[in-house]
Amino acid sequence: MSNIASMPKDFICGHEDTIVDVALRNITYIFDESDITAFIGSFNEEEKESNGSTHAPVSLGSKIMDVGKTFLDENRKIQHKCDYAKLRYIDQSISATKSRYHIDVLTENSFFKEVRVYNMSRTKMTILNSKFKTWWMDFPKLEFLDLSYNYIDVFDIDTTAVAWDLPLLHVNISHNNITRITAKYITKLARLSAVLILNLEGNPFHCDCSPDMERVVDLVQNGDIWMSKLYSPYAYIRNLKCATPESAKGKTFVSLTRADMSCEMTSYAPIIILSIVVVFLVVLIIVMARYRREIQILTYTRFHIVLSCQPQQSFQNKIYDAFVSYSSENEGWVVKTFQALEEEEHIRGSNGCNFRFCLHQRDFIAGKTIFDNVIDSVESSHHTVIILSKYFLNSHWCMYEFQEAFQQSIMERKRHLIVVLMEDIPEAELPKELKRCLKTFTYIRKDDAIFHDRLIYALALKGQKSVADVPKKVENPPPITMEDKVSEINGYYNIALEPDDITV
């Protein structure tokens, strides 16, 4: 072995300029049994050192490894370089005694720039040599590499292959000992499909209930991805078969179920139900926080329920639930809206009966001045409803009624005023008191989706009161025909009083 470095080039390289095909298959070294026994026995005896000391016996496997490394070191001392310029085909298959360093020795001092096919099948190879991971460094034009029917359990590849201008390489690594595969590895192969196609068929895959295998099953059962140009060369992976466990034996990846993979069948029903309940509660809390005011209003107006979170109101006994202040231009809407509220049987005002409103064209008393009627109506009502429109702002009588109601709110120290906004009015057009009022008192838009409910809620007195607090029913005054006694002044009704009606 020590003389190999001194051998001539013809001995080392052979016919390097003319050789095209090399077939050295079905070559296995056989050792005489007696020689092997003697060889093994020599390593089992304690070896003595020059100083007389001894060391533990060396195993046969370790000794053979040492011999192989020594041979490789000696091979590196060879000065000759072999360039096989015409070699296209190498077949070194079917051998039980190929060294793990075989490919290292082969490529140490030789160049195979034109080799297209390399067959190393059935050589009992157990570990993939690193030379195959970067095949283009030694076999730049390799198109087919056969490593089938060996015992390789891992086939690692260098992803930098895509950076080189290489022909497409088909690697047959079928019928080896690869038991594990991951979705990440499949994706890696797909990204290299322009330079490398790997055949993994016939390997004894272990299809257990591991996270890696579950991800593989999810990937292969995604039918759309395998139609893409990237993944289509590896579509056969979907039909790879499992070897273990017994429940999955013979099943293809694409047909695997959790039961086949011996996964514990967990009932997700309680988790799903709990998740739905939690989501429902979260949504309910958000809705209740966002629409708490609307909920209070609707529970009261639709179901007559006063929520415990609502403060109870104390109130004095008065004739009217509200005095309605409005401009004559809005009279039609006012009469229709408030008379309808008075007629609704299921709605109750402060006196336990239907709502009762003071409408000036109906309820003002003849013989009193407008000022006295306004003052008495405001004081005799739990609320004053302001029907705020541009017509209202242009009426002096309307503004006077507003001032009286505003003063009444201050005197009673409660939210006496209720404002119904009929239309959008620029803030610059509002008097100072009205601006403050809109920020302080109940304010309802006519176009609100629940306007009717908001108005009832604002008018209703929701406090608890004893029977003694209930006022005696006051008979409605007889309707007054005012057609001949009313004239319109500044958009408002003024009662034309007879001389005998004037009180000084």
Side-chain angles (χ1 to χ4, degrees):
M1 184 185 299
S2 59
N3 297 326
I4 192 171
S6 61
M7 295 294 180
K9 185 176 182 180
D10 289 342
F11 178 83
I12 299 296
C13 301
H15 302 285
E16 59 176 323
D17 296 328
T18 58
I19 191 169
V20 175
D21 298 331
V22 172
L24 300 173
R25 60 177 175 266
N26 201 18
I27 297 176
T28 299
Y29 298 101
I30 300 175
F31 299 93
D32 183 82
E33 185 175 349
S34 60
D35 291 338
I36 294 176
T37 302
F39 187 54
I40 293 175
S42 66
F43 291 107
N44 289 332
E45 296 177 359
E46 292 184 344
E47 296 184 6
K48 293 184 177 295
E49 301 291 345
S50 58
N51 58 6
S53 62
T54 60
H55 60 77
V58 180
S59 68
L60 177 61
S62 297
K63 188 64 178 179
I64 292 175
M65 290 286 291
D66 290 340
V67 171
K69 290 178 181 178
T70 301
F71 179 75
L72 184 59
D73 291 337
E74 290 296 324
N75 191 67
R76 287 170 178 163
K77 297 177 182 179
I78 297 175
Q79 300 299 316
H80 309 298
K81 301 297 180 183
C82 305
D83 185 2
Y84 298 96
K86 296 183 178 180
L87 184 59
R88 300 288 191 276
Y89 177 86
I90 302 176
D91 186 351
Q92 295 179 329
S93 61
I94 315 175
S95 175
T97 54
K98 277 284 187 292
S99 167
R100 64 181 299 181
Y101 299 105
H102 172 75
I103 190 66
D104 296 286
V105 173
L106 182 68
T107 59
E108 183 64 33
N109 295 294
S110 302
F111 302 103
F112 303 94
K113 297 179 181 179
E114 299 298 328
V115 171
R116 303 297 199 275
V117 178
Y118 190 8
N119 188 354
M120 283 281 287
S121 63
R122 301 179 187 272
T123 56
K124 297 191 176 181
M125 189 186 307
T126 57
I127 299 174
L128 186 70
N129 192 287
S130 60
K131 293 283 187 177
F132 290 123
K133 298 177 185 179
T134 55
W135 73 90
W136 63 90
M137 304 298 292
D138 297 290
F139 305 96
K141 294 186 178 181
L142 192 63
E143 296 176 358
F144 185 80
L145 174 62
D146 192 351
L147 300 174
S148 61
Y149 292 94
N150 285 303
Y151 300 101
I152 300 169
D153 56 3
V154 176
F155 188 90
D156 197 11
I157 45 181
D158 192 329
T159 56
T160 60
V162 294
W164 299 82
D165 184 17
L166 302 173
L168 180 61
L169 172 63
H170 292 264
V171 179
N172 184 3
I173 197 168
S174 63
H175 302 282
N176 272 267
N177 199 33
I178 299 174
T179 59
R180 297 284 183 180
I181 189 171
T182 65
K184 186 177 180 181
Y185 183 75
I186 295 173
T187 301
K188 186 193 229 183
L189 290 176
R191 290 174 179 170
L192 288 171
S193 59
V195 294
L196 175 68
I197 300 296
L198 198 64
N199 183 1
L200 292 165
E201 293 176 329
N203 281 280
F205 292 106
H206 184 56
C207 304
D208 62 349
C209 192
S210 63
D212 283 341
M213 195 62 206
E214 286 186 302
R215 283 190 282 268
V216 168
V217 172
D218 290 339
L219 179 63
V220 300
Q221 292 180 351
N222 180 1
D224 294 337
I225 196 172
W226 300 99
M227 301 297 292
S228 66
K229 183 178 179 180
L230 195 65
Y231 281 85
S232 59
Y234 285 96
Y236 76 88
I237 289 179
R238 305 181 72 201
N239 295 313
L240 292 180
K241 292 184 178 181
C242 304
T244 54
E246 191 65 29
S247 57
K249 187 174 182 179
K251 296 290 183 67
T252 59
F253 285 4
V254 74
S255 65
L256 275 178
T257 64
R258 290 181 60 82
D260 295 332
M261 297 162 67
S262 300
C263 296
E264 294 182 5
M265 299 304 292
T266 304
S267 175
Y268 291 101
I271 299 174
I272 294 172
I273 293 173
L274 181 60
S275 301
I276 292 173
V277 171
V278 170
V279 171
F280 174 77
L281 290 176
V282 171
V283 172
L284 182 62
I285 292 170
I286 294 172
V287 170
M288 291 183 68
R290 172 65 180 82
Y291 299 102
R292 59 185 180 278
R293 181 67 175 173
E294 287 77 4
I295 292 171
Q296 290 178 1
I297 292 171
L298 293 175
T299 53
Y300 178 79
T301 59
R302 305 294 175 88
F303 307 104
H304 312 293
I305 297 173
V306 180
L307 298 180
S308 58
C309 59
Q310 297 175 191
Q312 294 185 352
Q313 299 173 340
S314 61
F315 55 88
Q316 299 174 351
N317 299 320
K318 296 191 176 184
I319 299 173
Y320 300 107
D321 290 287
F323 166 59
V324 185
S325 175
Y326 59 93
S327 170
S328 60
E329 279 80 0
N330 301 123
E331 180 180 349
W333 180 85
V334 170
V335 171
K336 179 181 178 181
T337 301
F338 287 88
Q339 284 187 353
L341 286 176
E342 288 179 329
E343 294 169 1
E344 291 192 30
E345 290 295 332
H346 63 282
I347 300 176
R348 293 290 181 264
S350 59
N351 60 4
C353 302
N354 290 11
F355 274 132
R356 187 176 181 192
F357 302 108
C358 179
L359 305 178
H360 55 71
Q361 94 284 1
R362 183 188 69 182
D363 298 311
F364 273 12
I365 300 174
K368 281 188 177 183
T369 64
I370 292 179
F371 297 102
D372 289 337
N373 269 299
V374 170
I375 293 171
D376 290 345
S377 297
V378 170
E379 291 179 350
S380 301
S381 303
H382 289 291
H383 299 283
T384 294
V385 179
I386 302 296
I387 308 301
L388 183 58
S389 64
K390 292 182 180 179
Y391 300 117
F392 185 95
L393 297 177
N394 294 329
S395 170
H396 296 297
W397 289 114
C398 288
M399 294 306 299
Y400 171 71
E401 290 177 356
F402 163 71
Q403 292 291 344
E404 283 298 320
F406 189 69
Q407 291 299 320
Q408 188 71 16
S409 294
I410 295 174
M411 290 174 59
E412 294 183 359
R413 295 183 178 181
K414 69 184 187 69
R415 295 180 181 272
H416 178 85
L417 273 173
I418 299 173
V419 179
V420 175
L421 188 60
M422 299 291 287
E423 57 189 321
D424 292 326
I425 301 174
E427 188 175 349
E429 297 180 13
L430 294 172
K432 182 178 179 181
E433 293 82 359
L434 263 174
K435 289 180 184 178
R436 188 186 312 165
C437 177
L438 291 176
K439 295 179 181 178
T440 307
F441 297 98
T442 305
Y443 139 49
I444 309 170
R445 293 186 63 92
K446 177 190 172 185
D447 57 0
D448 193 299
I450 56 170
F451 167 78
H452 188 77
D453 297 277
R454 289 187 187 276
L455 183 59
I456 293 173
Y457 186 81
L459 289 168
L461 295 173
K462 297 167 282 297
Q464 300 295 323
K465 57 182 179 180
S466 63
V467 176
D469 292 330
V470 178
K472 294 180 180 180
K473 184 175 180 181
V474 179
E475 296 295 335
N476 290 332
I480 301 173
T481 303
M482 306 177 68
E483 294 178 359
D484 299 328
K485 294 187 177 183
V486 178
S487 62
E488 188 176 358
I489 302 176
N490 287 329
Y492 194 76
Y493 288 102
N494 182 35
I495 299 178
L497 302 177
E498 299 295 335
D500 294 338
D501 295 332
I502 300 176
T503 303
V504 181

